[in-house]
Amino acid sequence: MNPLETIHAAVKALRDHKLRSGLTALGIIIGTSATIAMLAIGAGARAQVAAQVQSLGSNLLVVVSGNVSQSGVKLGAGATPTLTDEDAAAISREISSVQVTSSLISGKIQIVAEGANWATTLHTVDLGYLEARDWGVESGRWFESDEAKNGAQVALLGQTVAKQLFPDDDPIGREVRIKNAPFRVIGMLAKKGQSTGGQDQDDALIVPLNAGRRVLGSNQAKLRSVAAILVKVRDGESMAQTTEDAESLLRQRHRLLPLQDNDFAIRNLSVIAEAREAGARTLSILLASVALVSLLTGGIGILNIMLVSVTERTKEIGIRMAVGAMRRDILLQFLFEAVALSVFGCIVGIILGLLCAYAIAQLADWSLIIEPWAVALAVLFSMLVGILFGWYPALRASRLAPIEAIRTA
């Protein structure tokens, strides 16, 4: 038998038992589709995490108030403001690796514009806030140095706020009221999307720091204290070294003794991003491993069915060998049948996997990422499953003695 005849005989045998062949390939279909879908989900999740962290700002350190003790009682992190806008200015001035800093005070507040009102997050910030956050202005402008210094009552709206207050109008030049204080809208921020915690970053209103202090009142913004300081590190500079430098500088400014704990905390968002991405990567590997187990289960199904096929076709094998078929021909025929089942299941599985990945991406509202190596891995693994689990039945069929095979049948 030449190779074409061997392939023709194998295809005919599979075609003669369509239902059994289809059920045998089902395990491979499920395993392959699950592998493709799970790897796509993992890649999409990692991309989503990366995008959310990037939306907070690249190379960004966040300094927040830490634990403070009074009369031996620890009040907890953030209970008492320990940072000031002078700390932010000192960090920007004295640490060469820092590109820009911005003081920040935030709080939930109700705002009113004409006949509409909306509860949003008020950010009172310095001039460097947008640069630190890698945030752009879609229309209008950012406030100027004199406006920031004098506490001008100007504001920039996030896109969610703009849609709620001015759904059909351009907000630029309009007026919003914050605790009855009028603020003129001078700009609308570019879209940011969700943060890593799931908050809508576009649901925000930004005003200059000094203007915001007047609105928030002394109970929320005492003297020159701020809730946080954003520190953007220059590209190519060490985040770890900048963190150490900022810590040393703030300890000096806050007159902390060597054995005293910091009354502030510095958070490195790059570390948070790496931790989240590592978690997403581990999850995708776990999901892919479970899917590969499904492929192995499909391989066991191929092994079982091929052994049954050898038993059913013992007489056919004996006659073929009696009329001149070589053991190699019988081996290749049954091995090709196993590989054909595996490849067929793989092709159908890839199509179903892509459809499932697309559906999940639409439901989860994240980008669909199909990596070529994932498809190649599924194809390669499916073919290996067909060869490994089809080899023993094929070898068993090729070792049958022609006379005994005919007699047994």
Side-chain angles (χ1 to χ4, degrees):
M1 296 176 66
N2 60 45
L4 289 179
E5 289 176 337
T6 301
I7 294 174
H8 177 74
V11 171
K12 183 177 182 302
L14 294 175
R15 201 164 47 212
D16 289 343
H17 301 87
K18 294 184 181 66
L19 180 60
R20 185 170 69 184
S21 298
L23 292 175
T24 305
L26 187 60
I28 301 297
I29 293 173
I30 294 173
T32 303
S33 60
T35 301
I36 296 294
M38 293 303 101
L39 289 174
I41 290 170
R46 292 197 304 274
Q48 186 80 353
V49 169
Q52 288 177 345
V53 174
Q54 184 66 27
S55 72
L56 298 176
S58 59
N59 300 339
L60 190 63
L61 301 175
V62 181
V63 187
V64 296
S65 298
N67 176 58
V68 175
S69 297
Q70 292 183 358
S71 302
V73 178
K74 293 185 176 181
L75 302 180
T80 300
T82 60
L83 301 171
T84 67
D85 49 9
E86 293 173 342
D87 290 330
I91 292 173
S92 179
R93 181 178 61 250
E94 299 184 27
I95 302 177
S96 60
S97 59
V98 172
Q99 177 178 330
V100 70
T101 62
S102 175
S103 300
L104 172 66
I105 303 173
S106 297
K108 292 294 290 187
I109 204 161
Q110 195 79 19
I111 58 177
V112 178
E114 299 175 356
N117 68 89
W118 184 249
T120 187
T121 301
L122 174 66
H123 296 310
T124 63
V125 303
D126 285 342
L127 282 172
Y129 181 75
L130 291 190
E131 184 178 354
R133 291 287 311 277
D134 293 329
W135 205 341
V137 177
E138 183 174 284
S139 60
R141 63 176 178 86
W142 184 233
F143 49 79
E144 298 172 351
S145 178
D146 289 343
E147 292 172 327
K149 182 179 179 180
N150 299 328
Q153 294 184 181
V154 294
L156 285 90
L157 306 183
Q159 295 206 3
T160 299
V161 177
K163 290 177 182 177
Q164 293 296 327
L165 297 181
F166 308 101
D168 302 316
D169 298 320
D170 183 1
I172 307 301
R174 308 293 285 276
E175 184 180 281
V176 297
R177 302 188 69 83
I178 307 172
K179 289 188 173 180
N180 291 325
F183 280 74
R184 180 169 54 89
V185 178
I186 61 172
M188 186 168 67
L189 299 167
K191 186 174 179 59
K192 264 288 185 180
Q194 288 188 348
S195 68
T196 54
Q199 294 87 11
D200 181 7
Q201 297 182 91
D202 299 309
D203 190 1
L205 173 71
I206 296 179
V207 301
L209 187 62
N210 290 332
R213 279 195 170 111
R214 292 198 302 268
V215 172
L216 292 175
S218 59
N219 61 328
Q220 295 189 53
K222 298 179 181 178
L223 302 176
R224 305 200 60 161
S225 64
V226 296
I229 299 172
L230 305 184
V231 181
K232 185 175 180 63
V233 181
R234 298 182 190 278
D235 289 337
E237 298 288 348
S238 170
M239 299 285 286
Q241 184 60 52
T242 305
T243 301
E244 292 180 11
D245 293 342
E247 180 180 4
S248 176
L249 176 62
L250 290 175
R251 286 187 63 87
Q252 292 177 19
R253 290 185 55 81
H254 295 186
R255 296 186 174 88
L256 297 176
L257 298 175
L259 296 181
Q260 277 186 284
D261 292 333
N262 292 338
D263 61 356
F264 58 89
I266 302 178
R267 299 170 183 168
N268 187 339
L269 296 189
S270 297
V271 174
I272 297 174
E274 291 172 2
R276 288 180 176 271
E277 187 172 351
R281 189 183 304 113
T282 301
L283 177 61
S284 63
I285 291 174
L286 177 62
L287 293 173
S289 299
V290 173
L292 291 176
V293 170
S294 300
L295 273 177
L296 290 176
T297 304
I300 294 173
I302 289 177
L303 173 63
N304 181 47
I305 294 300
M306 292 306 297
L307 286 173
V308 171
S309 180
V310 170
T311 302
E312 288 182 347
R313 295 157 62 187
T314 302
K315 182 176 182 180
E316 174 193 333
I317 295 169
I319 293 174
R320 286 181 178 276
M321 298 180 72
V323 297
M326 305 294 290
R327 293 184 183 276
R328 180 191 61 193
D329 298 324
I330 302 300
L331 174 68
L332 291 176
Q333 177 183 341
F334 279 86
L335 187 59
F336 181 83
E337 290 181 23
V339 173
L341 285 173
S342 184
V343 171
F344 170 76
C346 178
I347 293 172
V348 176
I350 289 174
I351 296 172
L352 289 179
L354 294 176
L355 293 175
C356 290
Y358 176 78
I360 294 172
Q362 291 296 311
L363 292 174
D365 193 25
W366 63 41
S367 57
L368 175 64
I369 300 178
I370 304 295
E371 297 173 331
W373 67 265
V375 178
L377 175 65
V379 173
L380 178 61
F381 202 81
S382 297
M383 293 184 67
L384 288 176
V385 165
I387 293 173
L388 292 176
F389 287 93
W391 180 262
Y392 174 69
L395 186 63
R396 182 173 176 179
S398 68
R399 288 182 175 178
L400 291 174
I403 297 176
E404 291 296 327
I406 296 173
R407 183 183 302 166
T408 301

